[in-house]
Amino acid sequence: MRGPLLAAAGGGLRAMGDGGPLARAIRAKLDAALQPTHLQVLDESWRHGGPPGAETHFSVVVVSGRFAGLPPLQRHRLVHAALRAELAGPLHALAIVARTPQQWESDPRVPPRPPCLGGSKQERRGAAAGGDSPGNQ
């Protein structure tokens, strides 16, 4: 059974029919390449300060028999290969949970992702160069 496509909305999660264009492309490419028995695609752009509809930060849970006998690094490489064009373009960050059907059946929990540390590269550069810190005013 395939899992629902999920997308972030504000601070919560809601089930969606298809998500945005990038979410749909991710789903279609992972379906074609890995024939998953369970697939979740989660747009987490909102957690990273992206504007609504940015579709830059995603997490995926992929359960596929193609992962049998492969270490985690090889599984991630299969996911990256399927999404090569997206990773070269609009997709900035991708968190991956890649399991075999047996692993998923024995433990369907997804580990929590660490919180975003916030700030953009420009903000960090400004702070490093003196920026608006209280000591520099």
Side-chain angles (χ1 to χ4, degrees):
M1 175 177 114
R2 294 183 191 269
L5 175 68
L6 299 175
L13 300 178
R14 61 184 168 87
M16 291 184 59
D18 60 1
L22 186 55
R24 289 191 302 271
I26 290 170
R27 175 172 275 286
K29 289 186 175 188
L30 292 176
D31 270 337
L34 301 171
Q35 298 86 42
T37 57
H38 181 83
L39 176 60
Q40 292 177 339
V41 177
L42 181 65
D43 180 352
E44 296 187 328
S45 301
W46 65 272
R47 292 181 67 212
H48 303 277
E55 289 196 299
T56 56
H57 294 70
F58 280 85
S59 66
V60 295
V61 176
V62 186
V63 179
S64 174
R66 296 261 332 262
F67 297 146
L70 297 177
L73 180 61
Q74 291 301 104
R75 296 173 185 191
H76 285 224
R77 285 180 176 161
L78 287 174
V79 172
H80 278 243
L83 302 176
R84 182 171 285 122
E86 290 73 17
L87 287 164
L91 182 54
H92 172 73
L94 181 66
I96 302 169
V97 173
R99 297 195 182 142
T100 65
Q102 295 78 14
Q103 290 171 320
W104 184 251
E105 287 172 20
S106 69
D107 183 10
R109 292 176 295 176
V110 176
R113 284 167 297 287
C116 177
L117 296 177
S120 67
K121 291 178 184 173
Q122 289 78 19
E123 289 173 0
R124 286 193 296 274
R125 280 191 207 119
D132 294 339
S133 66
N136 293 330
Q137 294 180 2

